[in-house]
Amino acid sequence: MAERALRGTRLGATSYENDRNTDLAPRQEVDYTCTKGHRFTVTLAAEAEVPMTWECRSCGATALRVDGELPQTKKGKPPRTHWDMLMERRTLEDLEEVLAERLEILRAGRRRTA
């Protein structure tokens, strides 16, 4: 008889408990609006830190909290280019010498093949 009662179900796949007599964690709803005018609500835990921006569910753009202001951008270092890193290791005179050597090697190779 017990086999027939569990037939067709998988152990652990379905919970047979109900939500009666359970308390849910306290929650808060935060409204966001994206630059394209989409407005949506995100439900967060009450003790969670609410971010100022969120990705829009409709278009993927950055949405701003309705009651918030744009976050201040931090000033950072400008990105270093390859030229900047090269100039940290060598001077212009060194680079001119290397260029002259490489040009001489290329010219010598062309003379041999011609």
Side-chain angles (χ1 to χ4, degrees), residues 6-25:
L6 293 177
R7 184 175 293 169
T9 63
R10 287 176 264 146
L11 294 177
T14 306
S15 173
Y16 295 106
E17 295 183 22
N18 55 24
D19 291 336
R20 277 187 271 154
N21 300 328
T22 57
D23 294 329
L24 299 175

Side-chain angles (χ1 to χ4, degrees), residues 56-104:
C56 179
R57 294 177 177 170
S58 302
C59 63
T62 302
L64 182 64
R65 217 164 87 186
V66 171
D67 59 346
E69 297 177 3
L70 282 173
Q72 297 292 330
T73 56
K74 296 180 182 178
K75 292 183 180 178
K77 293 183 188 177
R80 289 174 41 195
T81 63
H82 295 289
W83 180 254
D84 294 334
M85 291 184 266
L86 182 64
M87 294 307 295
E88 289 175 3
R89 296 186 309 254
R90 299 191 182 249
T91 63
L92 282 176
E93 292 80 23
D94 292 339
L95 292 173
E96 288 174 1
E97 287 177 26
V98 171
L99 177 62
E101 290 173 10
R102 297 308 297 171
L103 286 174
E104 185 61 36

